[in-house]
Amino acid sequence: MKGEGTISMALVRKAVLVKGIVQGVGFRPFVYGLARRYALRGLVVNTPEGVQIEVEGEREPVDRFIQSLREEAPPLAKIEEITVQQMDPAGYTEFTIGTSARSGEVEALVAVDVATCAECLGELFDPHDRRYMYPFINCTNCGPRFTIIKDVPYDREYTTMNVFPMCPECAAEYGDPTNRRFHAQPNACHVCGPRVVLRDSSGGLVSQDNPVILAARLLREKYILAVKGLGGYHLACNALDNDTVSSLRERKVREDKPFAVMVKNLEQAKEYCYINEEEARLMMSPARPIVLLRKKGCLLAEQVAPGNSYLGLMLPYTPLHYILFEHVDFPLVMTSGNLSDEPIAYEDEDAFLRLGQIADYFLAHNRVIWHRCDDSVTRVYRGREYPVRRSRGYAPAPVKLSREMGQVLAVGGEQKNTFCLTKGRYAFISHHIGDLENLETLQAFEREIAMYKKLFHVEPDLVAYDYHPEYLSTKYALDLPGIKKTGVQHHHAHIASCMAENGLDGQVLGVAFDGTGFGPDGSIWGGEFLYASLTDFRRIGHLKYIPMPGGARAIKEPWRMAAGYLYSQFGHEWREQKGAKFLAGKNEMLLDALDDMMEKLINCPPTSSMGRLFDAVAALIGVRDHVNYEGQAAVEMEQIALTEKNTVNIRYNYVINNSGPAWEIDTGPMIREVLADLMNGVTRSSIACKFHYTVKDIITRVCLMAREQYGENRVCLSGGVFQNMFLLDMVHRDLEKNNFAVYVHRLVPTNDGGISLGQAVIADERRKSGCV
């Protein structure tokens, strides 16, 4: 409020604009408290740009106030910029919190969903607190954010909580600047807020009086439940009971891919996995991701993560989870609520339709989820985070770039799709969309692009897409009217993504190893060495092209890649190799057809993929002929290699041909030597370990050759193959031993979930250089 009359000339008034993640995190009450501490007057409001403050008082307290803004900001706030403007005193008589402004250029960042804070947990389990056992307790320091927001600024009327009018007590807290729930938009209680119900598989009401207690009893009785969370439904069951977990696998049509497990607390987690200090910090972080951890023995049901020495564990992150664990004393499988390859169910009606044949009961509630959002998955590498899937708790917080960006849309790839919108120095990388292989996922992709554009007021004038003409993301981009378009090669995007998050300019040596990426020559790339910048690249080396019999079918059936490698070595005699035991029992007519396909190159695209080389060797040594999820053969071969006791650095032979435009790495000698080892009774673990050392040796040797030729010492490692931690660590150490500066991903996944960032940066740099 402004007063009238004479204004002391000793007063100063300053306008302060704070940008970053400063809405929905208790920033305005924090500002209010600071102003009262320093006896200042003025006003604070949310605006589309961030938080706008006018502060008036004596110069020294005003300056201390501004300094404290950054030094003492709330734990969930992330200040990106503070600008201060001197103004004439206005004669404010008090400090107030004003009504949010809706007009202006939107620059405010949307807060991520946050796990329940310690103070709310204390109240949740306090029998004397009015929110005792309330499944939706929250405050300005925790609770849902992104998953309930419809528009900015982040005010209740623009969230899915707008249908729950607050009771007098909640409204009093909401309006009290000294209260922890001041302007906590999801604020609610037993009287006025959302409620949990238990329903049967057809949606019929079972209980609304003690639904969580009944749900816990059903879990103890080995039923499978669908549990509504922050960003969608989980499918939950007793993680100690192998029969129940097996039943969930059968119903979900997920044969082998590991399930995530939720444990009650860190102490329970340590019963099942080895956990170091950084892994514990990640598990306890406000994002509460799934953290990949090394197993201790086989205490959980074997079917939770069959054939895998790692488990994905997470801690409870909603009040509902915490209440549930008050009534069960065992860990729970908590896997995405979907059938394999479908997006996670998040709308109630759709959930009953799609999950009704999987879940026996539904623990549901009536708070609408506006944004579908899977759990994030991460791990620790060299003492720092190494993301696998960036989603809940991370998105939509932007990646801060070292360069100014125009407004670009990058649509990502097909597997593990994310998209990216850029504006200023921000790259808004979406939460995990999934594999763009069906209509429902495509619709989710299109819906979320529209929503991100609205939330961050980005109207792109340039779109970047993958070269692959059959990707649904590519088709979407090419169909956009009235916008410039630029195609980006898949592996160039991988390297540019690593460059962008590490703030690199100029040229680098890029090692991009994965399963599939469309090459400009029409073949399937994936074992690539690039000399790359943020605008262009030169392919300086790659694995020798090998026939991929059956095309995409070879990805599901690794034995076909083994056949392709044998054919490339032995021609029509490939079936006669005595070490090729994987051929035993195969239909002769099928093998005849394969031979004919490879000879005539019918449905047999050439590939340089490192992922497919892993598949071939895995099939040769009897790890797996068929896979039930992407990369399964390689994952299991890594596990086998880790069991090898004799880890002497011995490798197989290979040849680097330098007669063409790029170095060609011929692994034919290695294939012959693997067959010889099999004939001589060498163990699978020894062959698998030796193979990993060979791949490491290939990378180091080619990088040494490239440094000699191009004079570049910086190496970026990217692509799904570098989710293999055994390989990544030995490559990283060997390159550093040879004095390379090595860069890996720390902010976005090394898999295809990170390529949208690379696409966006490449597109923008091309525009700046006049190439678009």
Side-chain angles (χ1 to χ4, degrees):
M1 179 182 298
K2 297 180 183 180
E4 297 179 359
T6 304
I7 298 171
S8 169
M9 296 305 293
L11 293 180
V12 296
R13 173 177 165 229
K14 294 187 178 182
V16 183
L17 176 61
V18 186
K19 296 181 180 180
I21 299 177
V22 289
Q23 296 188 15
V25 294
F27 203 84
R28 285 180 297 169
F30 158 70
V31 170
Y32 179 87
L34 277 186
R36 293 188 65 181
R37 181 203 301 176
Y38 293 118
L40 302 173
R41 283 85 60 198
L43 176 74
V44 58
V45 295
N46 277 345
T47 73
E49 293 180 290
V51 170
Q52 180 72 50
I53 307 163
E54 287 191 17
V55 61
E56 187 172 274
E58 301 292 332
R59 183 175 300 279
E60 185 179 348
V62 168
D63 290 343
R64 290 206 308 270
F65 167 88
I66 293 170
Q67 183 178 351
S68 298
L69 285 175
R70 189 180 292 277
E71 293 177 351
E72 303 176 30
L76 300 182
K78 185 177 180 181
I79 295 174
E80 298 286 357
E81 181 183 348
I82 296 178
T83 57
V84 181
Q85 181 182 356
Q86 188 77 40
M87 302 180 74
D88 292 333
Y92 284 105
T93 60
E94 60 184 341
F95 196 92
T96 59
I97 298 177
T99 304
S100 296
R102 289 277 289 162
S103 60
E105 178 70 15
V106 172
E107 294 186 35
L109 303 181
V110 177
V112 299
D113 299 283
V114 180
T116 309
C117 70
E119 289 175 291
C120 282
L121 282 178
E123 295 168 345
L124 182 66
F125 295 117
D126 179 359
H128 304 293
D129 193 276
R130 73 186 190 92
R131 291 188 177 86
Y132 176 61
M133 292 295 178
Y134 181 55
F136 303 95
I137 189 171
N138 67 88
C139 69
T140 55
N141 295 322
C142 68
R145 298 291 190 273
F146 170 64
T147 52
I148 65 169
I149 191 170
K150 298 178 180 180
D151 203 353
V152 290
Y154 177 67
D155 284 332
R156 192 180 183 98
E157 64 182 299
Y158 306 119
T159 74
T160 61
M161 287 296 294
N162 65 343
V163 297
F164 297 101
M166 284 181 281
C167 67
E169 286 182 272
C170 284
E173 294 170 331
Y174 185 88
D176 180 1
T178 64
N179 193 286
R180 199 175 85 251
R181 294 189 170 88
F182 175 74
H183 280 236
Q185 306 308 337
N187 189 32
C189 69
H190 290 286
V191 174
C192 62
R195 298 189 177 188
V196 175
V197 296
L198 185 68
R199 298 185 181 276
D200 62 26
S201 59
S202 63
L205 183 65
V206 175
S207 172
Q208 58 184 358
D209 294 327
N210 295 295
V212 183
I213 293 173
L214 285 174
R217 190 187 76 190
L218 291 167
L219 288 167
R220 288 195 299 272
E221 293 173 357
K222 303 181 182 179
Y223 286 98
I224 295 169
L225 269 66
V227 180
K228 190 175 181 181
L230 280 179
Y233 278 85
H234 284 112
L235 291 166
C237 71
N238 185 342
L240 300 180
D241 190 86
N242 208 55
D243 289 341
T244 308
V245 179
S246 296
S247 177
L248 176 56
R249 284 202 175 279
E250 183 179 344
R251 298 184 197 181
K252 187 176 160 72
V253 195
R254 181 163 163 166
E255 295 181 55
D256 299 304
K257 192 174 183 180
F259 285 142
V261 173
M262 183 176 282
V263 290
K264 182 174 184 177
N265 50 38
L266 200 57
E267 289 67 36
Q268 189 177 73
K270 290 177 179 178
E271 295 177 22
Y272 303 105
C273 291
Y274 299 97
I275 304 176
N276 63 33
E277 186 177 335
E278 180 60 19
E279 289 166 337
R281 186 198 67 78
L282 265 180
M283 288 193 74
M284 295 290 292
S285 69
R288 285 292 199 281
I290 297 167
V291 181
L292 300 181
L293 304 162
R294 194 158 57 91
K295 275 184 187 177
K296 279 183 179 177
C298 294
L299 300 175
L300 291 180
E302 172 60 25
Q303 280 298 306
V304 168
N308 201 309
S309 58
Y310 284 83
L311 279 173
L313 295 190
M314 62 177 159
L315 295 175
Y317 56 85
T318 71
L320 181 59
H321 294 150
Y322 281 103
I323 296 170
L324 193 57
F325 273 102
E326 283 296 294
H327 302 287
V328 296
D329 58 0
F330 46 83
L332 296 172
V333 166
M334 278 282 190
T335 186
S336 298
N338 56 5
L339 280 168
S340 290
D341 301 325
E342 290 184 355
I344 185 172
Y346 73 109
E347 296 173 313
D348 296 336
E349 194 172 321
D350 178 59
F352 289 119
L353 182 66
R354 290 203 285 134
L355 306 182
Q357 300 302 311
I358 304 175
D360 301 303
Y361 293 92
F362 285 72
L363 191 60
H365 60 74
N366 60 339
R367 185 177 69 199
V368 171
I369 298 169
W370 200 255
H371 298 274
R372 164 194 283 128
C373 202
D374 288 86
D375 294 314
S376 293
V377 183
T378 191
R379 70 191 316 160
V380 173
Y381 171 62
R382 288 193 165 197
R384 293 176 59 195
E385 186 169 8
Y386 191 68
V388 177
R389 183 169 75 197
R390 185 181 183 273
S391 202
R392 178 192 51 76
Y394 293 79
V399 171
K400 186 81 176 287
L401 301 176
S402 61
R403 54 182 42 80
E404 287 288 327
M405 299 280 292
Q407 298 195 16
V408 178
L409 166 64
V411 296
E414 181 173 70
Q415 302 292 315
K416 301 178 176 64
N417 178 270
T418 64
F419 60 83
C420 178
L421 287 163
T422 62
K423 182 180 183 181
R425 292 203 168 194
Y426 293 136
F428 299 99
I429 303 164
S430 76
H431 50 292
H432 172 77
I433 302 297
D435 296 346
L436 281 181
E437 295 177 336
N438 55 56
L439 177 61
E440 186 167 7
T441 313
L442 177 63
Q443 289 171 338
F445 166 80
E446 294 175 344
R447 177 181 184 271
E448 290 302 324
I449 287 177
M451 183 56 63
Y452 269 64
K453 287 164 64 176
K454 180 180 180 183
L455 287 179
F456 302 111
H457 279 228
V458 177
E459 201 49 61
D461 52 14
L462 177 61
V463 61
Y465 59 89
D466 191 277
Y467 277 162
H468 200 300
E470 294 304 313
Y471 281 1
L472 294 180
S473 57
T474 297
K475 292 180 177 181
Y476 167 85
L478 293 175
D479 284 343
L480 290 175
I483 184 171
K484 291 182 179 179
K485 304 172 178 70
T486 185
V488 177
Q489 201 281 323
H490 188 89
H491 301 97
H492 185 204
H494 267 303
I495 300 306
S497 174
C498 188
M499 290 177 69
E501 70 163 87
N502 284 287
L504 302 181
D505 286 307
Q507 304 279 350
V508 300
L509 303 178
V511 184
F513 282 3
D514 62 5
T516 301
F518 194 79
D521 60 358
S523 59
I524 306 299
W525 289 15
E528 310 306 314
F529 293 88
L530 309 181
Y531 181 55
S533 70
L534 292 176
T535 55
D536 210 347
F537 73 96
R538 179 183 303 169
R539 190 189 198 195
I540 59 175
H542 60 88
L543 293 184
K544 181 182 177 181
Y545 284 129
I546 299 296
M548 190 173 169
R553 191 164 183 179
I555 299 172
K556 297 283 189 181
E557 301 176 17
W559 72 269
R560 290 172 176 264
M561 283 312 306
Y565 269 90
L566 291 181
Y567 183 87
S568 72
Q569 285 299 299
F570 303 104
H572 293 296
E573 297 179 355
W574 65 277
R575 294 156 65 178
E576 300 168 17
Q577 305 309 306
K578 293 182 179 179
K581 297 179 181 179
F582 73 95
L583 294 174
K586 293 287 188 297
N587 184 288
E588 287 298 321
M589 291 180 64
L590 173 60
L591 297 181
D592 288 342
L594 234 65
D595 189 81
D596 195 47
M597 287 166 61
M598 291 188 285
E599 178 186 14
K600 298 175 181 176
L601 295 178
I602 299 171
N603 192 23
C604 206
T607 182
S608 61
S609 166
M610 179 58 76
R612 300 290 79 82
L613 175 58
F614 267 83
D615 285 350
V617 175
L620 280 175
I621 67 175
V623 174
R624 183 163 287 276
D625 275 3
H626 296 71
V627 298
N628 296 310
Y629 64 88
E630 182 196 10
Q632 183 178 8
V635 168
E636 293 181 358
M637 188 161 65
E638 177 192 5
Q639 311 300 316
I640 291 170
L642 288 167
T643 67
E644 175 59 31
K645 304 301 181 185
N646 180 18
T647 56
V648 178
N649 188 355
I650 301 174
R651 65 170 179 81
Y652 290 111
N653 286 303
Y654 57 90
V655 175
I656 298 179
N657 299 314
N658 58 4
S659 57
W663 299 312
E664 181 188 75
I665 299 105
D666 182 357
T667 55
M670 178 185 71
I671 297 298
R672 291 174 178 268
E673 290 170 11
V674 167
L675 288 173
D677 276 353
L678 288 169
M679 291 294 294
N680 292 327
V682 178
T683 64
R684 292 194 310 171
S685 62
S686 179
I687 296 172
C689 192
K690 199 170 170 181
F691 169 74
H692 279 78
Y693 276 113
T694 305
V695 175
K696 178 264 295 182
D697 194 74
I698 289 171
I699 293 171
T700 301
R701 187 173 168 193
V702 173
C703 286
L704 286 168
M705 293 167 61
R707 181 167 65 186
E708 178 70 22
Q709 180 160 331
Y710 297 100
E712 180 54 60
N713 197 55
R714 299 179 299 173
V715 179
C716 290
L717 304 177
S718 190
V721 167
F722 290 112
Q723 292 176 125
N724 181 322
M725 306 312 287
F726 180 45
L727 177 66
L728 175 65
D729 184 58
M730 70 167 71
V731 168
H732 201 154
R733 285 187 285 109
D734 206 41
L735 289 172
E736 287 183 333
K737 179 182 171 184
N738 284 278
N739 299 313
F740 285 98
V742 183
Y743 297 90
V744 299
H745 290 274
R746 297 297 186 182
L747 301 177
V748 301
T750 191
N751 58 45
D752 284 5
I755 67 167
S756 62
L757 173 61
Q759 290 174 342
V761 173
I762 290 168
D764 194 64
E765 290 296 308
R766 286 179 180 172
R767 173 167 55 188
K768 289 174 184 175
S769 62
C771 298
V772 177

PDB file of all heavy atoms in Angstrom, residues 708-726:
ATOM      1  N   GLU A 708      46.062 -37.753 -34.055  1.00  0.00           N
ATOM      2  CA  GLU A 708      47.238 -37.567 -34.896  1.00  0.00           C
ATOM      3  C   GLU A 708      46.872 -36.818 -36.179  1.00  0.00           C
ATOM      4  O   GLU A 708      47.613 -35.947 -36.649  1.00  0.00           O
ATOM      5  CB  GLU A 708      47.841 -38.935 -35.236  1.00  0.00           C
ATOM      6  CG  GLU A 708      49.051 -38.894 -36.153  1.00  0.00           C
ATOM      7  CD  GLU A 708      50.289 -38.317 -35.478  1.00  0.00           C
ATOM      8  OE1 GLU A 708      50.358 -38.335 -34.238  1.00  0.00           O
ATOM      9  OE2 GLU A 708      51.193 -37.830 -36.204  1.00  0.00           O
ATOM     10  N   GLN A 709      45.691 -37.130 -36.751  1.00  0.00           N
ATOM     11  CA  GLN A 709      45.314 -36.527 -38.022  1.00  0.00           C
ATOM     12  C   GLN A 709      44.668 -35.154 -37.869  1.00  0.00           C
ATOM     13  O   GLN A 709      44.917 -34.252 -38.667  1.00  0.00           O
ATOM     14  CB  GLN A 709      44.357 -37.452 -38.777  1.00  0.00           C
ATOM     15  CG  GLN A 709      43.904 -36.884 -40.126  1.00  0.00           C
ATOM     16  CD  GLN A 709      43.372 -37.962 -41.047  1.00  0.00           C
ATOM     17  OE1 GLN A 709      43.777 -39.117 -40.966  1.00  0.00           O
ATOM     18  NE2 GLN A 709      42.471 -37.585 -41.946  1.00  0.00           N
ATOM     19  N   TYR A 710      43.831 -34.981 -36.827  1.00  0.00           N
ATOM     20  CA  TYR A 710      43.048 -33.746 -36.717  1.00  0.00           C
ATOM     21  C   TYR A 710      43.529 -32.806 -35.617  1.00  0.00           C
ATOM     22  O   TYR A 710      43.054 -31.673 -35.515  1.00  0.00           O
ATOM     23  CB  TYR A 710      41.568 -34.085 -36.480  1.00  0.00           C
ATOM     24  CG  TYR A 710      40.950 -34.837 -37.626  1.00  0.00           C
ATOM     25  CD1 TYR A 710      40.792 -36.224 -37.573  1.00  0.00           C
ATOM     26  CD2 TYR A 710      40.545 -34.178 -38.782  1.00  0.00           C
ATOM     27  CE1 TYR A 710      40.227 -36.921 -38.626  1.00  0.00           C
ATOM     28  CE2 TYR A 710      39.976 -34.872 -39.842  1.00  0.00           C
ATOM     29  CZ  TYR A 710      39.819 -36.249 -39.758  1.00  0.00           C
ATOM     30  OH  TYR A 710      39.265 -36.936 -40.811  1.00  0.00           O
ATOM     31  N   GLY A 711      44.419 -33.291 -34.766  1.00  0.00           N
ATOM     32  CA  GLY A 711      44.954 -32.431 -33.716  1.00  0.00           C
ATOM     33  C   GLY A 711      43.958 -32.112 -32.621  1.00  0.00           C
ATOM     34  O   GLY A 711      44.130 -31.144 -31.876  1.00  0.00           O
ATOM     35  N   GLU A 712      42.913 -32.926 -32.487  1.00  0.00           N
ATOM     36  CA  GLU A 712      41.882 -32.674 -31.477  1.00  0.00           C
ATOM     37  C   GLU A 712      42.008 -33.680 -30.334  1.00  0.00           C
ATOM     38  O   GLU A 712      42.138 -34.878 -30.562  1.00  0.00           O
ATOM     39  CB  GLU A 712      40.486 -32.776 -32.109  1.00  0.00           C
ATOM     40  CG  GLU A 712      39.339 -32.528 -31.139  1.00  0.00           C
ATOM     41  CD  GLU A 712      39.459 -31.218 -30.389  1.00  0.00           C
ATOM     42  OE1 GLU A 712      39.494 -30.151 -31.050  1.00  0.00           O
ATOM     43  OE2 GLU A 712      39.548 -31.267 -29.143  1.00  0.00           O
ATOM     44  N   ASN A 713      41.940 -33.153 -29.101  1.00  0.00           N
ATOM     45  CA  ASN A 713      42.177 -33.977 -27.922  1.00  0.00           C
ATOM     46  C   ASN A 713      40.921 -34.237 -27.105  1.00  0.00           C
ATOM     47  O   ASN A 713      40.931 -35.024 -26.174  1.00  0.00           O
ATOM     48  CB  ASN A 713      43.223 -33.282 -27.034  1.00  0.00           C
ATOM     49  CG  ASN A 713      43.831 -34.228 -26.021  1.00  0.00           C
ATOM     50  OD1 ASN A 713      44.350 -35.269 -26.386  1.00  0.00           O
ATOM     51  ND2 ASN A 713      43.726 -33.882 -24.745  1.00  0.00           N
ATOM     52  N   ARG A 714      39.800 -33.584 -27.451  1.00  0.00           N
ATOM     53  CA  ARG A 714      38.567 -33.736 -26.669  1.00  0.00           C
ATOM     54  C   ARG A 714      37.710 -34.838 -27.290  1.00  0.00           C
ATOM     55  O   ARG A 714      37.446 -34.830 -28.488  1.00  0.00           O
ATOM     56  CB  ARG A 714      37.796 -32.423 -26.635  1.00  0.00           C
ATOM     57  CG  ARG A 714      38.576 -31.281 -25.982  1.00  0.00           C
ATOM     58  CD  ARG A 714      37.787 -29.991 -25.983  1.00  0.00           C
ATOM     59  NE  ARG A 714      37.463 -29.537 -27.332  1.00  0.00           N
ATOM     60  CZ  ARG A 714      36.668 -28.509 -27.608  1.00  0.00           C
ATOM     61  NH1 ARG A 714      36.109 -27.827 -26.611  1.00  0.00           N
ATOM     62  NH2 ARG A 714      36.424 -28.150 -28.853  1.00  0.00           N
ATOM     63  N   VAL A 715      37.257 -35.781 -26.434  1.00  0.00           N
ATOM     64  CA  VAL A 715      36.452 -36.912 -26.893  1.00  0.00           C
ATOM     65  C   VAL A 715      35.115 -36.910 -26.165  1.00  0.00           C
ATOM     66  O   VAL A 715      35.069 -36.853 -24.929  1.00  0.00           O
ATOM     67  CB  VAL A 715      37.162 -38.257 -26.637  1.00  0.00           C
ATOM     68  CG1 VAL A 715      36.285 -39.421 -27.095  1.00  0.00           C
ATOM     69  CG2 VAL A 715      38.507 -38.301 -27.340  1.00  0.00           C
ATOM     70  N   CYS A 716      34.015 -36.953 -26.922  1.00  0.00           N
ATOM     71  CA  CYS A 716      32.670 -37.079 -26.357  1.00  0.00           C
ATOM     72  C   CYS A 716      32.173 -38.504 -26.580  1.00  0.00           C
ATOM     73  O   CYS A 716      32.215 -39.006 -27.704  1.00  0.00           O
ATOM     74  CB  CYS A 716      31.711 -36.096 -27.016  1.00  0.00           C
ATOM     75  SG  CYS A 716      32.007 -34.373 -26.582  1.00  0.00           S
ATOM     76  N   LEU A 717      31.707 -39.140 -25.515  1.00  0.00           N
ATOM     77  CA  LEU A 717      31.174 -40.493 -25.594  1.00  0.00           C
ATOM     78  C   LEU A 717      29.663 -40.429 -25.453  1.00  0.00           C
ATOM     79  O   LEU A 717      29.145 -39.927 -24.445  1.00  0.00           O
ATOM     80  CB  LEU A 717      31.755 -41.361 -24.478  1.00  0.00           C
ATOM     81  CG  LEU A 717      33.284 -41.458 -24.394  1.00  0.00           C
ATOM     82  CD1 LEU A 717      33.706 -42.292 -23.179  1.00  0.00           C
ATOM     83  CD2 LEU A 717      33.860 -42.065 -25.671  1.00  0.00           C
ATOM     84  N   SER A 718      28.933 -40.945 -26.441  1.00  0.00           N
ATOM     85  CA  SER A 718      27.473 -40.875 -26.386  1.00  0.00           C
ATOM     86  C   SER A 718      26.869 -42.066 -27.125  1.00  0.00           C
ATOM     87  O   SER A 718      27.521 -42.706 -27.946  1.00  0.00           O
ATOM     88  CB  SER A 718      26.977 -39.556 -26.997  1.00  0.00           C
ATOM     89  OG  SER A 718      25.599 -39.365 -26.746  1.00  0.00           O
ATOM     90  N   GLY A 719      25.603 -42.337 -26.819  1.00  0.00           N
ATOM     91  CA  GLY A 719      24.903 -43.458 -27.445  1.00  0.00           C
ATOM     92  C   GLY A 719      24.579 -44.524 -26.410  1.00  0.00           C
ATOM     93  O   GLY A 719      25.249 -44.656 -25.381  1.00  0.00           O
ATOM     94  N   GLY A 720      23.555 -45.313 -26.707  1.00  0.00           N
ATOM     95  CA  GLY A 720      23.059 -46.289 -25.752  1.00  0.00           C
ATOM     96  C   GLY A 720      24.061 -47.329 -25.312  1.00  0.00           C
ATOM     97  O   GLY A 720      23.939 -47.878 -24.206  1.00  0.00           O
ATOM     98  N   VAL A 721      25.061 -47.644 -26.141  1.00  0.00           N
ATOM     99  CA  VAL A 721      26.073 -48.634 -25.749  1.00  0.00           C
ATOM    100  C   VAL A 721      26.810 -48.178 -24.491  1.00  0.00           C
ATOM    101  O   VAL A 721      27.252 -49.005 -23.680  1.00  0.00           O
ATOM    102  CB  VAL A 721      27.051 -48.892 -26.912  1.00  0.00           C
ATOM    103  CG1 VAL A 721      28.295 -49.655 -26.453  1.00  0.00           C
ATOM    104  CG2 VAL A 721      26.353 -49.676 -28.027  1.00  0.00           C
ATOM    105  N   PHE A 722      26.907 -46.860 -24.289  1.00  0.00           N
ATOM    106  CA  PHE A 722      27.625 -46.360 -23.115  1.00  0.00           C
ATOM    107  C   PHE A 722      26.757 -46.349 -21.856  1.00  0.00           C
ATOM    108  O   PHE A 722      27.142 -45.756 -20.836  1.00  0.00           O
ATOM    109  CB  PHE A 722      28.220 -44.984 -23.411  1.00  0.00           C
ATOM    110  CG  PHE A 722      29.349 -45.057 -24.394  1.00  0.00           C
ATOM    111  CD1 PHE A 722      29.216 -44.508 -25.670  1.00  0.00           C
ATOM    112  CD2 PHE A 722      30.534 -45.706 -24.076  1.00  0.00           C
ATOM    113  CE1 PHE A 722      30.248 -44.591 -26.586  1.00  0.00           C
ATOM    114  CE2 PHE A 722      31.573 -45.804 -24.989  1.00  0.00           C
ATOM    115  CZ  PHE A 722      31.435 -45.247 -26.250  1.00  0.00           C
ATOM    116  N   GLN A 723      25.616 -47.049 -21.895  1.00  0.00           N
ATOM    117  CA  GLN A 723      24.920 -47.416 -20.666  1.00  0.00           C
ATOM    118  C   GLN A 723      25.559 -48.661 -20.049  1.00  0.00           C
ATOM    119  O   GLN A 723      25.236 -49.024 -18.925  1.00  0.00           O
ATOM    120  CB  GLN A 723      23.439 -47.674 -20.954  1.00  0.00           C
ATOM    121  CG  GLN A 723      22.690 -46.418 -21.341  1.00  0.00           C
ATOM    122  CD  GLN A 723      21.248 -46.683 -21.722  1.00  0.00           C
ATOM    123  OE1 GLN A 723      20.330 -46.105 -21.178  1.00  0.00           O
ATOM    124  NE2 GLN A 723      21.043 -47.558 -22.690  1.00  0.00           N
ATOM    125  N   ASN A 724      26.441 -49.298 -20.797  1.00  0.00           N
ATOM    126  CA  ASN A 724      27.230 -50.429 -20.315  1.00  0.00           C
ATOM    127  C   ASN A 724      28.351 -49.866 -19.446  1.00  0.00           C
ATOM    128  O   ASN A 724      29.336 -49.330 -19.943  1.00  0.00           O
ATOM    129  CB  ASN A 724      27.781 -51.190 -21.523  1.00  0.00           C
ATOM    130  CG  ASN A 724      28.604 -52.409 -21.150  1.00  0.00           C
ATOM    131  OD1 ASN A 724      29.356 -52.406 -20.179  1.00  0.00           O
ATOM    132  ND2 ASN A 724      28.485 -53.446 -21.959  1.00  0.00           N
ATOM    133  N   MET A 725      28.202 -49.962 -18.129  1.00  0.00           N
ATOM    134  CA  MET A 725      29.133 -49.297 -17.227  1.00  0.00           C
ATOM    135  C   MET A 725      30.501 -49.956 -17.214  1.00  0.00           C
ATOM    136  O   MET A 725      31.524 -49.293 -16.983  1.00  0.00           O
ATOM    137  CB  MET A 725      28.544 -49.252 -15.812  1.00  0.00           C
ATOM    138  CG  MET A 725      27.150 -48.643 -15.739  1.00  0.00           C
ATOM    139  SD  MET A 725      26.994 -47.065 -16.622  1.00  0.00           S
ATOM    140  CE  MET A 725      27.896 -45.991 -15.528  1.00  0.00           C
ATOM    141  N   PHE A 726      30.541 -51.256 -17.431  1.00  0.00           N
ATOM    142  CA  PHE A 726      31.813 -51.962 -17.508  1.00  0.00           C
ATOM    143  C   PHE A 726      32.637 -51.422 -18.670  1.00  0.00           C
ATOM    144  O   PHE A 726      33.829 -51.095 -18.524  1.00  0.00           O
ATOM    145  CB  PHE A 726      31.534 -53.464 -17.684  1.00  0.00           C
ATOM    146  CG  PHE A 726      32.766 -54.334 -17.787  1.00  0.00           C
ATOM    147  CD1 PHE A 726      33.833 -54.174 -16.923  1.00  0.00           C
ATOM    148  CD2 PHE A 726      32.833 -55.332 -18.746  1.00  0.00           C
ATOM    149  CE1 PHE A 726      34.962 -54.996 -17.014  1.00  0.00           C
ATOM    150  CE2 PHE A 726      33.935 -56.154 -18.853  1.00  0.00           C
ATOM    151  CZ  PHE A 726      35.012 -55.989 -17.984  1.00  0.00           C
TER     152      PHE A 726
END
